[in-house]
Amino acid sequence: MWRATILTIFPDMFPGPLATSLAGKARARGLWALDCIDLRDHAPDRHRMVDDTPAGGGPGMVMKPDVVARAVDAVGADARPRLLMSPRGVALTQARVRALAQGQGAVIVCGRFEGVDQRVIDGRRLEEVSIGDFVVSGGEIAALALIDACVRLLPGVMGREESAHEESFSDGLLEYPQYTRPQLWEDRPIPPVLTCGDHARIAAWRQVEAERLTRDRRPDLWAARQARLTGAKKGPPKA
Ligand code: SAH
């Protein structure tokens, strides 16, 4: 079973929002599992200290390498990747999420304060993963986002209703715009093509819209897709 093991000083934050909705139901059905290790349980001193002042000076505190290492070692070696949530990490993508979902789970270290002593990142080969170019106050929220993204892709978690096949990033494109009833809302109609009943025309419209949105909003994704298509066809991309 897919299993997330979280190393944190705030185990009360889990499962948190993952107890509800799709992820919560899936966990109740035994489709994935979650366990938390309290980093403070691995602090050797009686004050359960997990942090100390930064070498070289400056504000804030740094998580101690010995405490994090003891907690990581307590998990033991298994096939799961060991991740450290970190704004310095490689940015999480849907492709990485898909790969993680196909594996056996993840061991996830949640940073706090100014971060984690570099020596335990190196010594325990923690792979730094970022959820984007912004800073949240702890790795817990980042870990929740990562786990949610993985869990929804596990077999049996999403029904046909919530199918992941055509959503954003599945084909390197952002998703086309969505509409629902009423047909006319505040003088704005649903695009007529969506109510014409011709599935081929609808699919073509959605493809054009997805490409338009991606080109306008995410030139980085668009360029990567064009390069991929060009490479695959060994010719120039069609205009
Ligand atoms: N001083 C650090 C930020 C520390 S924020 C720096 O400037 O890089 C405290 C913790 O929150 C981090 O150790 C990390 O675990 C988590 N965190 C903050 N932003 C994150 C992000 N974008 N992605 C993943 N984790 C993040």
Side-chain angles (χ1 to χ4, degrees):
M1 193 195 329
W2 199 89
R3 176 180 295 272
T5 299
I6 317 291
L7 283 59
T8 172
I9 60 168
F10 294 117
D12 290 352
M13 290 179 75
F14 296 90
L18 298 179
T20 55
S21 189
L22 218 57
K25 280 183 208 147
R27 195 160 80 104
R29 282 160 56 211
L31 296 177
W32 67 286
L34 176 80
D35 38 52
C36 275
I37 292 181
D38 189 342
L39 286 166
R40 289 197 193 281
D41 290 345
H42 294 274
D45 69 307
R46 64 187 187 87
H47 299 294
R48 314 217 314 150
M49 286 269 292
V50 294
D51 56 327
D52 206 338
T53 54
M61 300 295 271
V62 175
M63 294 183 97
K64 288 161 63 62
D66 53 324
V67 176
V68 174
R70 283 168 55 133
V72 167
D73 295 345
V75 178
D78 58 37
R80 296 176 298 167
R82 290 200 290 235
L83 313 180
L84 168 66
M85 303 318 297
S86 161
R88 286 192 317 224
V90 175
L92 190 62
T93 60
Q94 191 63 15
R96 180 76 170 114
V97 165
R98 227 177 278 128
L100 283 169
Q102 279 161 12
Q104 293 175 21
V107 177
I108 306 173
V109 181
C110 300
R112 276 276 157 180
F113 319 110
E114 294 305 320
V116 178
D117 187 302
Q118 184 62 40
R119 291 168 296 177
V120 68
I121 303 176
D122 298 337
R124 290 299 181 274
R125 296 209 179 84
L126 304 180
E127 180 193 337
E128 293 181 80
V129 176
S130 168
I131 57 164
D133 290 344
F134 51 89
V135 179
V136 291
S137 49
E140 290 78 9
I141 284 176
L144 289 168
L146 181 145
I147 295 167
D148 179 82
C150 292
V151 162
R152 61 195 290 282
L153 298 185
L154 297 177
V157 171
M158 274 196 284
R160 206 179 119 60
E161 291 287 291
E162 307 99 355
S163 168
H165 288 300
E166 276 188 21
E167 67 188 359
S168 290
F169 312 114
S170 57
D171 190 25
L173 292 175
L174 302 178
E175 197 186 58
Y176 46 81
Q178 301 274 12
Y179 298 86
T180 187
R181 280 180 286 263
Q183 169 63 38
L184 191 65
W185 178 76
E186 293 193 349
D187 295 331
R188 297 165 190 266
I190 291 175
V193 58
L194 295 179
T195 48
C196 75
D198 180 338
H199 294 298
R201 271 188 65 205
I202 293 171
W205 180 86
R206 286 177 166 169
Q207 181 70 19
V208 168
E209 287 295 299
E211 291 179 4
R212 180 182 62 80
L213 281 175
T214 310
R215 213 167 38 229
D216 290 356
R217 294 182 182 181
R218 294 293 302 273
D220 57 323
L221 290 181
W222 184 250
R225 179 181 147 89
Q226 293 304 98
R228 226 175 21 250
L229 292 179
T230 309
K233 284 184 198 149
K234 298 246 189 309
K238 293 210 176 81

